[in-house]
Amino acid sequence: MAKKTAPPRRVNIVIVGQDGRLGYEAALFALSLNARMTGTRFRLFIAEPEPGPLWPGDPRIQDADLRALLEDQGATFLPFQSRHFGAAYPYGNKIEALFALPPDEPFIFFDTDTLITGDLDKVPFDFARPSASLRREATWPEIELYGPGYAAIWKSLYDKFGLDFDSSLDLTQPDEYWQRYLYFNAGFFYYKEARAFAERFLGYALAIRDDPPSELVCQSLDPWLDQVALPLVIHSLGGGRDALEPGWLDGSTSCHYRLLPLLYAREDDAVVQLLEEITAPNKVKKVLKGSEPIKRMVYQGRGAKVRALFDQDDLPRKEQAIRNRIKKNGFWMR
């Protein structure tokens, strides 16, 4: 039998924090992490873009009480420079922030609008084989009537970077069905070395943005650039859709809720209970009331009204239908 690789002694978790909504979401993330973690090998970084020419103002978290709450939860602020994206493409933060992490240590990136719902110490990560979130819809590419199909579009990208396209396919899915092709949501991803992943991710993203294959002529890369580059990065580093057993992240151990109205509308009762548990202490409540969505949804009961609009066992198939129902009833916030 092959010898099992010992888990790394330390793993760096990184989320992006900025002034406004992301700062408060970072607090919810940190509170949930501490509520569910039992070990000490995971270290939380709040990556903040530094002010500079690519930002119109100071993007860092300004609220001193919020910063103190995050530090009280054991988070370390991690400044990074925006050299390529900034305010014009804020999704690029998740690429550029990786350069500020310890370069040779394993990392997990999470979108800030995530709750940790279980013990990450129990997740069977193989950091040598990267992967990312499979909780996604067919958002990219959008197939035009007389344009290239899924296979031609994706193959053009694999060819651009000298990657083997055929080995990325899920052959249990039919030809020209979107799930046949490697595609992730960038809500989480991980690898054994932050710098190697960052360099590959940045290089691919810039090459796609600045010199896309002709097959992409009808395709929008805003906001999808990160999710177009991500599967190529993961495939090139030996990872894939099967690198992590299903049911852990985006399952029993984490919840990428996106926005609080969506959390109340569609997530499990346990997720709602966790949210209300971690936001209950008075010293936490005092800080989090600075967020209008948290104040309305959690503390003033609007979230319960949203939840009552839906049967969580029979939800609309498309997220847009859920959003539309919430908006129609006047409960949408972000």
Side-chain angles (χ1 to χ4, degrees), residues 140-158 165 169 174-181 213-219:
W140 195 94
E142 291 190 2
I143 303 303
E144 301 292 332
L145 182 59
Y146 297 108
Y150 283 103
I153 291 170
W154 280 114
K155 188 175 187 304
S156 73
L157 289 163
Y158 283 78
F165 173 63
L169 300 175
D175 192 30
E176 291 302 320
Y177 179 61
W178 70 274
Q179 290 193 28
R180 184 179 177 91
Y181 311 95
S214 60
E215 286 83 356
L216 272 64
V217 67
C218 296
Q219 299 298 325

Side-chain angles (χ1 to χ4, degrees), residues 4-325:
K4 274 194 170 184
T5 303
R9 288 188 299 171
R10 185 165 66 189
V11 178
N12 299 313
I13 297 173
V14 60
I15 62 176
V16 174
Q18 288 182 237
D19 197 37
R21 176 170 62 88
L22 291 186
Y24 289 101
E25 290 175 352
L28 295 179
F29 182 96
L31 288 160
S32 70
L33 178 67
N34 283 329
R36 292 295 181 261
M37 282 296 300
T38 59
T40 58
R41 70 189 181 107
F42 290 90
R43 180 172 57 173
L44 176 61
F45 288 100
I46 311 293
E48 288 186 300
E50 294 184 300
L54 298 184
W55 295 99
D58 188 341
R60 295 173 296 185
I61 297 170
Q62 303 298 310
D63 187 315
D65 291 335
L66 182 55
R67 297 186 75 89
L69 174 61
L70 286 162
E71 289 176 335
D72 185 56
Q73 293 300 310
T76 299
F77 286 96
L78 186 72
F80 69 91
Q81 293 186 344
S82 300
R83 294 187 171 93
H84 302 281
F85 300 107
Y89 187 68
Y91 299 95
N93 282 341
K94 65 183 65 180
I95 302 174
E96 298 198 86
L98 302 180
F99 285 92
L101 287 169
D104 299 325
E105 295 178 2
F107 77 93
I108 311 171
F109 172 90
F110 285 101
D111 269 350
T112 314
D113 49 358
T114 300
L115 294 179
I116 300 303
T117 55
D119 190 349
L120 287 176
D121 244 340
K122 297 180 179 178
V123 180
F125 291 108
D126 178 357
F127 285 96
R129 294 194 64 217
S131 195
S133 173
L134 290 169
R135 189 177 183 182
R136 78 284 194 229
E137 296 182 341
T139 48
W140 195 94
E142 291 190 2
I143 303 303
E144 301 292 332
L145 182 59
Y146 297 108
Y150 283 103
I153 291 170
W154 280 114
K155 188 175 187 304
S156 73
L157 289 163
Y158 283 78
D159 289 348
K160 180 176 178 67
F161 299 110
L163 303 175
D164 180 54
F165 173 63
D166 290 343
S167 62
S168 74
L169 300 175
D170 180 355
L171 299 180
T172 68
Q173 302 290 344
D175 192 30
E176 291 302 320
Y177 179 61
W178 70 274
Q179 290 193 28
R180 184 179 177 91
Y181 311 95
L182 196 61
Y183 187 54
F184 298 104
N185 183 287
F188 77 79
F189 50 86
Y190 60 85
Y191 188 52
K192 64 180 180 179
E193 296 173 350
R195 180 57 60 90
F197 196 97
E199 290 175 348
R200 188 73 52 91
F201 204 176
L202 179 64
Y204 283 9
L206 293 179
I208 295 167
R209 183 192 69 180
D210 299 337
D211 184 26
S214 60
E215 286 83 356
L216 272 64
V217 67
C218 296
Q219 299 298 325
S220 173
L221 292 172
D222 189 358
W224 312 115
L225 177 62
D226 61 323
Q227 295 192 175
V228 176
L230 184 59
L232 305 170
V233 174
I234 286 173
H235 185 70
S236 73
L237 294 172
R241 59 176 67 80
D242 61 346
L244 179 64
E245 293 176 11
W248 291 98
L249 301 187
D250 291 333
S252 63
T253 314
S254 71
C255 173
H256 185 197
Y257 61 87
R258 303 284 297 281
L259 294 162
L260 287 178
L262 291 175
L263 184 155
Y264 277 100
R266 67 185 179 184
E267 302 301 346
D268 292 343
D269 289 345
V271 176
V272 176
Q273 291 165 8
L274 171 63
L275 173 65
E276 298 189 345
E277 168 195 326
I278 62 177
T279 55
N282 285 330
K283 65 178 182 178
V284 171
K285 186 184 300 185
K286 181 180 177 182
V287 177
L288 295 185
K289 278 186 174 180
S291 161
E292 195 71 10
I294 296 176
K295 181 172 73 173
R296 301 291 185 195
M297 288 284 157
V298 178
Y299 296 125
Q300 295 183 355
R302 189 175 291 186
K305 294 178 180 178
V306 170
R307 197 158 184 81
L309 296 174
F310 297 91
D311 176 356
Q312 279 73 44
D313 295 321
D314 187 24
L315 290 167
R317 289 180 62 250
K318 295 286 187 180
E319 181 181 300
Q320 191 58 50
I322 298 175
R323 289 172 176 252
N324 290 343
R325 189 181 300 178

